[in-house]
Amino acid sequence: MESIEYRLSEVRKRVSAACARAGRRPAEVEIVAVSKGVGPDAVTEAAGAGLRLFGESRVREASSKMRMCPGNLEWHLVGHLQTNKAKDAARMFAAVHSADSVRVLEALDSGRDVTGLALGVYIQVNVSGESAKYGCPEDELESLLKAANALSRIEVRGLMTIPPFTPDAEDARPVFRKLRELRDRTSSRTGLELHGLSMGMSHDFEVAIEEGATVVRLGSVLFG
């Protein structure tokens, strides 16, 4: 069976190749290892292979797992966040990739320790327009960013999206491109610096990188 170290090596080769095609540097892309459903032993093995950013989808699962993993890891929440879990999430994670409403942002802000670092946040945008997808509509993004920037314990790092799943990764390209273009237009109009684009998962991360992803969220391609 392939080790996580081997899989990570192969992933890094693919990241480098995608960056080369897009005229980018591999250092511009962070890998968040999505460890939902994966035990502490696998996380520890992945950390030993050089990974430091780990993503969880559920607050409760993460709470018990994090205590059994190496203490030098940075944890991100990458799954949908309910308002009633936001205060717990604010205390547990270094970043949240799925903030999509003023209520969630306010709960994250109030739950963050006032003496600590600001919580990194990516605003999830439903650029595909799917009714089943979470995320704020495009036309609400600027008002949501304004609300986020009024909160002292929140630091908006950028935008996040999840495209419709299709077997062909190329089908996700228009969605990734649309998020990048939305980021650029919004930054230009508002003067806000929105560097980060959290987009791309195991089956489509190379396309996401070609379209400007700064963070890719990888689970099965690393953990099997």
Side-chain angles (χ1 to χ4, degrees):
M1 187 173 66
E2 294 173 346
S3 67
I4 293 175
E5 183 176 18
Y6 173 81
R7 293 193 193 107
L8 177 59
S9 174
E10 292 301 299
V11 163
R12 284 179 168 153
K13 291 176 186 176
R14 293 168 66 185
V15 168
S16 294
C19 285
R21 290 191 295 271
R24 304 178 62 197
R25 296 179 297 111
E28 297 174 18
V29 181
E30 291 186 314
I31 295 172
V32 173
V34 179
S35 51
K36 66 176 182 179
V38 172
D41 288 348
V43 172
T44 301
E45 181 184 347
L51 289 167
R52 286 293 175 268
L53 306 182
F54 287 82
E56 288 287 323
S57 292
R58 296 180 177 86
V59 173
R60 181 177 295 179
E61 178 185 342
S63 178
S64 58
K65 182 186 299 183
M66 289 161 67
R67 293 193 294 269
M68 296 182 283
C69 294
N72 61 337
L73 306 181
E74 181 174 308
W75 294 89
H76 292 202
L77 183 71
V78 298
H80 176 64
L81 179 61
Q82 296 176 324
T83 307
N84 64 353
K85 297 290 186 181
K87 289 187 177 181
D88 289 337
R91 290 190 289 268
M92 292 167 51
F93 294 95
V96 171
H97 290 237
S98 51
D100 61 0
S101 71
V102 173
R103 288 181 62 197
V104 166
L105 286 168
E106 290 176 342
L108 288 170
D109 182 72
S110 65
R112 192 67 171 177
D113 186 344
V114 69
T115 63
L117 296 173
L119 177 69
V121 164
Y122 294 85
I123 302 296
Q124 183 174 356
V125 186
N126 185 357
V127 294
S128 67
E130 288 182 282
S131 59
K133 279 281 193 301
Y134 294 109
C136 77
E138 288 183 56
D139 59 4
E140 296 178 13
L141 176 59
E142 288 190 26
S143 62
L144 195 56
L145 287 168
K146 182 178 179 180
N149 282 307
L151 300 171
S152 61
R153 302 169 203 170
I154 295 293
E155 177 190 358
V156 177
R157 295 183 180 177
L159 307 181
M160 180 272 238
T161 200
I162 302 174
F165 178 82
T166 61
D168 187 351
E170 278 296 326
D171 291 339
R173 188 180 295 277
V175 175
F176 296 144
R177 181 176 297 152
K178 192 173 182 181
L179 187 72
R180 173 172 49 82
E181 292 172 346
L182 176 64
R183 187 272 311 271
D184 294 346
R185 288 196 309 272
T186 303
S187 292
S188 179
R189 281 201 300 262
T190 63
L192 297 173
E193 184 175 343
L194 298 170
H195 172 71
L197 289 174
S198 173
M199 58 188 195
M201 294 184 284
S202 289
H203 65 289
D204 57 16
F205 70 91
E206 290 153 300
V207 174
I209 290 169
E210 291 169 3
E211 292 299 330
T214 64
V215 182
V216 291
R217 309 179 304 273
L218 308 182
S220 61
V221 74
L222 291 171
F223 294 107

